[in-house]
């Protein structure tokens, strides 16, 4: 993929399909390293699935025989000298602490580092397309932090849906303003 934000969108779609009610997208950047973590409280994966999920010829989908989301993320991280870790706990194994955590580390100074891309559009697409799910987005940069938590928005908005035009427009402007302040 041409930018990491597309990988984030793809991986987060897996969380949505896993019936997550909360998805956290956490990015921490230093001058040399970008660490991406996607955490969800979905149904989780068993041990065998966790070990197979980085194989592009393994998928749980019935519509096609390949699954490229996690393998592409792994490849993108490893090409920079980084790597990927996946932890998961099935809901029937631990009803309180179930879900999946995918952590990828990228070396930003490597020639094969793929830029983050349009992360604001990714976050907006996720919120608008899955407005029944809560999302936490937190991007820590050397110059500051950009964050949004839909749980807080719900408290303020009450019955106003997150997918409404006015709310999505406000989220877009809010994220853009935060990024402008950390330049």
């Amino acid at each position: 993929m041409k930018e990491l934000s597309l990988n984030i969108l793809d991986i987060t779609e897996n969380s949505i399909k896993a019936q997550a009610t909360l998805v956290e997208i956490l990015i921490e950047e230093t001058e040399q390293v970008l660490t991406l973590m996607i955490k969800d409280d979905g149904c989780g994966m068993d041990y065998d699935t966790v070990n197979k999920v980085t194989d592009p010829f393994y998928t749980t989908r019935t519509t096609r025989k390949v699954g490229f989301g996690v393998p592409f993320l792994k490849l993108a991280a490893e090409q920079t000298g980084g790597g990927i870790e996946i932890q998961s706990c099935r809901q029937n194994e631990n009803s309180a602490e179930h879900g999946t955590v995918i952590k990828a580390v990228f070396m930003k100074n490597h020639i094969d580092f793929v830029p983050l891309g349009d992360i604001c559009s990714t976050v907006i697409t996720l919120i608008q397309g899955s407005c029944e799910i809560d999302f936490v987005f937190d991007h820590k940069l050397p110059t500051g932090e950009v964050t949004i938590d839909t749980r807080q928005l719900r408290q303020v908005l009450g019955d106003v849906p997150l997918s409404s035009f006015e709310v999505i427009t406000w989220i877009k402007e809010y994220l853009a303003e935060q990024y402008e302040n950390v330049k």
Side-chain angles (χ1 to χ4, degrees), residues 41-56:
D41 66 352
C43 63
M45 297 181 283
D46 62 33
Y47 179 79
D48 288 337
T49 303
V50 170
N51 288 326
K52 293 177 185 174
V53 77
T54 57
D55 179 353

Side-chain angles (χ1 to χ4, degrees), residues 4-182:
L4 289 177
S5 63
L6 296 176
N7 287 102
I8 293 168
L9 183 63
D10 189 53
I11 299 299
T12 306
E13 286 293 324
N14 293 339
S15 298
I16 293 166
K17 289 176 188 162
Q19 301 165 349
T21 59
L22 174 65
V23 178
E24 299 176 63
I25 302 167
L26 312 169
I27 304 169
E28 187 169 345
E29 282 191 69
T30 66
E31 294 298 324
Q32 287 89 26
V33 178
L34 182 143
T35 302
L36 165 66
M37 188 178 311
I38 301 173
K39 299 168 61 172
D40 71 50
D41 66 352
C43 63
M45 297 181 283
D46 62 33
Y47 179 79
D48 288 337
T49 303
V50 170
N51 288 326
K52 293 177 185 174
V53 77
T54 57
D55 179 353
F57 299 104
Y58 173 80
T59 186
T60 58
R61 290 182 177 187
T62 56
T63 56
R64 62 179 188 219
K65 296 180 181 186
V66 293
F68 290 124
V70 176
F72 276 167
L73 184 66
K74 179 180 184 235
L75 177 65
E78 289 177 347
Q79 283 182 327
T80 69
I84 191 171
E85 296 174 18
I86 303 170
Q87 299 173 337
S88 193
C89 182
R90 292 193 50 83
Q91 190 169 8
N92 62 2
E93 295 169 0
N94 187 336
S95 61
E97 296 292 325
H98 57 86
T100 301
V101 177
I102 296 179
K103 179 181 177 183
V105 177
F106 302 85
M107 301 302 133
K108 290 171 53 176
N109 58 356
H110 195 281
I111 192 169
D112 290 325
F113 176 70
V114 178
L116 184 58
D118 189 358
I119 192 65
C120 290
S121 290
T122 294
V123 172
I124 291 164
T125 299
L126 289 167
I127 293 170
Q128 186 173 26
S130 300
C131 60
E132 71 284 357
I133 297 173
D134 279 313
F135 292 95
V136 173
F137 173 71
D138 189 9
H139 187 177
K140 292 182 171 101
L141 297 128
T143 54
E145 186 172 7
V146 176
T147 185
I148 193 162
D149 186 333
T150 59
R151 296 171 297 184
Q152 294 171 344
L153 294 178
R154 287 183 205 284
Q155 288 178 347
V156 172
L157 294 171
D159 291 337
V160 178
L162 294 179
S163 61
S164 72
F165 176 77
E166 294 82 5
V167 174
I168 292 299
T169 301
W170 182 87
I171 292 170
K172 180 179 181 179
E173 291 170 358
Y174 180 67
L175 290 171
E177 180 181 316
Q178 288 184 73
Y179 274 110
E180 189 64 35
N181 290 334
V182 298

